[in-house]
Amino acid sequence: MKPDSEIGRGDTARPVLSVRDLTVQVATGEGGKTVLDHLSFDLQPGETLALAGESGSGKSMTALAIMGLLPRPMARITEGSILLGDQDLVGLNDKRYRDIRARRISMIFQEPMTSLNPLMTVERQLCEVLLEHRMCTRNEAPARALKLLRDLRLTDPEQRMKQYPHELSGGMRQRVMIAIALACEPEILIADEPTTALDVTVQAEILDLIRLMQKEHGTAVLMITHDMGVVAEMADRVIIMREGKPEETAPVEQIFDAPRSAYARQLLAAVPRLGHAPERSVKDSAKKLVEVDDLSVRFNVTGGIFNRTVARLHAVEGVSFEIRAGETLALVGESGSGKSTIGKALLGLVPWDGSVRIDGTQTRGMSRRAMRPVLRDIQMVFQDPGASLDSRMTVGEQVVEPLKVHQLASGSELTDRAEFLFQRVGLSNDMLSRYPHEFSGGQRQRVCIARALSLSPKVIVADESVSALDVSVQAQVLDLLQELQDADGLSYLFISHDMAVVDQVADRVMVLRLGQVMEEGPREAVLHDPRHHYTRRLLSAVPVPDPSRTRALLPPAPDAQSPVLALGESFQRVRLETVAGSHRVATGT
Amino acid sequence: MSDAQTLRPKSQSRFIVVISELMRRPRAAFGMAVIMVMVFGAVFAPLIMPHDPFEQSFDGLDLMGGPLPPGGDYLLGTDLLGRDLASRLILGTRTSLIIGLVANGIAVILGASVGIAAGFFGGWTAAILMRFTDLMMAFPALLLAIVLAAIFQPSLMIVALVIAMVNWVQMSRVIYTETRSLAEREFIQVQRAIGSSSLRILGKHLLPHLLSSIVVFGTLGISTTVLLEATLSFLGVGVQPPMPSWGNIIFENQTYFSTAPWLVFIPGLLIVLLALAFNLVGDALRDILDPTLKGRHG
């Protein structure tokens, strides 16, 4: 590898951070395993350097090593140096490190809920950082905290100061986290997947904010992400990492226009892009497999000493759709839009009102026992393949468990079925007797798909089924789903927050917001000619993996009706108006 | 390859696998050995007792009428009435093992069942079961035991039942909380989506995950139950004298602790050893039964 300075931007300024030959080893049962292998880079003042790569590439390890937060005694730095100015951080003791953290290098994490203390108000958490690093006196602290919140464009900063983390939305929490990180005006901000847990629109706002803060304070940002769209939007330079080794280091334009390493090319090819989706054949004549009419799901909110119902959460209100054989309907929307709830209602996993017909059978009011034969026609694949497999059972047993439950096979037939299913999803038969933890994320999701296929269903509800996977694995799983559809004429209800993925797989798209349909229609119409402002907002927030395109600043979100209503109140429904053909848009919002 | 066994982790009998795994771990093997020796002692007590445990021998007292220290004719010394301590301890193993295993076993099964049922079904079932558990918790355990033991004719089995009745509540609390969080997990949701019956979800998917807590909590309960039996014996509602148990040997002699310490220390040591042995085996069992921990034992 060439030294960084040759391919940098030619800045003559001294780097604020200079990492040389950083090597980190993790202790395992079989001895030390190198998770970071001779990584070198320079971070210039005011620039954004992105560390991009898939899971296991060592990008988070780099951040932890710089912060001196490697999990001890499991992981340790075996070689190399981390120079902050003239000071080498490797081997620095805890006390000295504390002076550096927050003051000179700050870090924000992926999950803002878990990195804030749930028992302390925003004000106390901000003041704590300020006082700990002696940035001001005790009397000045509240005023400085308030100013920080104001700088980060939080609405109602005075009120936010008195609130606890659980009272804030995900985006607000991440803003508070950034406020805490920037409280001591550090030279370097390390952002470890800062927007991965957030909705796209919130992600766009947070990215805008980080850029703005960087411009105002001249902070150098080390951005750690798996999302090439975020890389394109934020980075000046990029290091593509793979299995602990830097594969390619280059300015962002070069990475996207002319990647030199094979791996970078492969990674970029796997990234789904809006508007680059393959054509899909029209299946209008096929039979209707799922017919949903006026579906509503409401959860009771209880309170008081006697746990009486005091209010109602309208998770889904008056949603109607149908899915034909061999067709994919995509549900898109932000968190809380009710898209997963609709999927669960189809399988009878949540109580619902309205009408749902699965292959002609009305399932309203069915008990779990009565639902059983229906479940042979409709199955579900969940988001997190690790959590949806039982860690104490071999994958082989789990794949054929539905057959046992429905008493469709027994004895040696089960093994034959398991082998057949494993072949279909591209896993080898000698893996059948292994446990889930011995598989990678992508393989686990294949196991889950095999399990869903075991009953030979006609419809599969895929609830964010590829969201937790790396892009290259995601592409493979999407291909698998497409193959299965082509071979068996499976129908999918594809639930996702990722517009680019939806563009790849869907025949028709429904955009949901707070439990109601905002826009629905053929994929081309909804995604390429959006009529509703909410759809447009969602689409414009998607980061584009192309550094030459700059995304316009997102307009502020319009206010919406709260989905939690008191018992007597009636929910104000939107009306859908036909634009053209089956393309329909909500009016009055 | 065409039999159903290939889906299972190993084709050998599960039981043999677990036992051989246990024997490979030194600490677990030690625990097993201790338990085996005690079971052996309890079963063959009449054959290995050096003296009659009930005989109040004149030779068993010194010139001042005090008990004899360990050594000499009486290996572990004698008690205040001149009875051979070693023989009484061997016979007492029967009582203590039965109390430790039966009483604790009933408490574990009852507590775990109530906890799982309340945690899994929730709603009214949980409200009724858990409020009843709270009620039992609030009630002074010893008083309840005395009342129950006084109503029924004191016998070993009644004592075991009484102890079980006051000891299941903690277990049910722990298991209830854990079941509730497990029931929310995605792999249980998947089972509902597949159409599994509640019984299948409980037995095949919840129970294996709860097993480690049950085993750990269950082994911890053994020493508590052995001591509770001693308390009851001391109060006259437990095992009736002159029948020995480790607990009542301690209680009979605790006032002479400074002059005859062996009378308290040796049975105390045995109780600790029993609890420790079960704990070691329980710990190892938990690791062996969890496939994600395979090959990580130190």
Side-chain angles (χ1 to χ4, degrees), chain A residues 137-251:
Chain A
T137 65
R138 194 162 285 278
N139 294 333
E140 294 164 6
R144 290 230 9 198
L146 189 63
K147 184 175 174 299
L148 275 167
L149 292 186
R150 223 173 250 139
D151 286 349
L152 283 152
R153 276 69 180 169
L154 263 133
T155 50
D156 284 332
E158 287 86 1
Q159 199 198 330
R160 302 284 169 252
M161 293 272 277
K162 307 282 173 252
Q163 286 179 315
Y164 289 91
H166 73 269
E167 298 172 276
L168 307 175
S169 71
M172 287 186 215
R173 281 183 213 136
Q174 198 58 292
R175 277 168 205 256
V176 172
M177 270 311 293
I178 298 173
I180 291 173
L182 295 179
C184 304
E185 311 235 326
E187 295 147 61
I188 300 165
L189 177 68
I190 300 177
D192 187 359
E193 304 268 9
T195 55
T196 306
L198 305 173
D199 283 322
V200 275
T201 50
V202 183
Q203 161 168 304
E205 288 168 9
I206 295 289
L207 293 180
D208 289 343
L209 188 68
I210 291 178
R211 243 188 328 228
L212 190 73
M213 289 295 119
Q214 185 175 22
K215 211 185 285 168
E216 280 177 14
H217 301 275
T219 320
V221 176
L222 184 63
M223 187 96 185
I224 291 166
T225 183
H226 71 283
D227 188 333
M228 294 312 277
V230 173
V231 171
E233 195 167 299
M234 299 293 289
D236 298 316
R237 285 190 306 133
V238 187
I239 300 177
I240 305 267
M241 308 259 301
R242 181 199 196 180
E243 285 165 8
K245 292 192 189 74
E247 284 278 325
E248 182 167 353
T249 309

Side-chain angles (χ1 to χ4, degrees), chain B residues 92-112:
Chain B
T93 310
R94 283 186 172 180
T95 329
S96 295
L97 269 186
I98 288 175
I99 295 290
L101 294 182
V102 175
N104 197 47
I106 296 172
V108 165
I109 291 168
L110 191 67

Side-chain angles (χ1 to χ4, degrees), chain A residues 492-542:
Chain A
Y492 293 119
L493 179 64
F494 194 89
I495 299 167
S496 182
H497 70 281
D498 190 330
M499 305 296 264
V501 168
V502 165
D503 196 16
Q504 299 244 307
V505 301
D507 294 306
R508 286 187 301 122
V509 177
M510 262 171 89
V511 181
L512 288 160
R513 182 195 190 192
L514 298 173
Q516 299 200 83
V517 179
M518 290 294 124
E519 184 161 359
E520 63 170 334
R523 173 189 64 172
E524 286 76 19
V526 175
L527 296 184
H528 306 158
D529 180 24
R531 297 301 176 90
H532 197 273
H533 59 83
Y534 180 69
T535 317
R536 285 200 201 118
R537 194 176 138 82
L538 271 183
L539 283 165
S540 67
V542 176

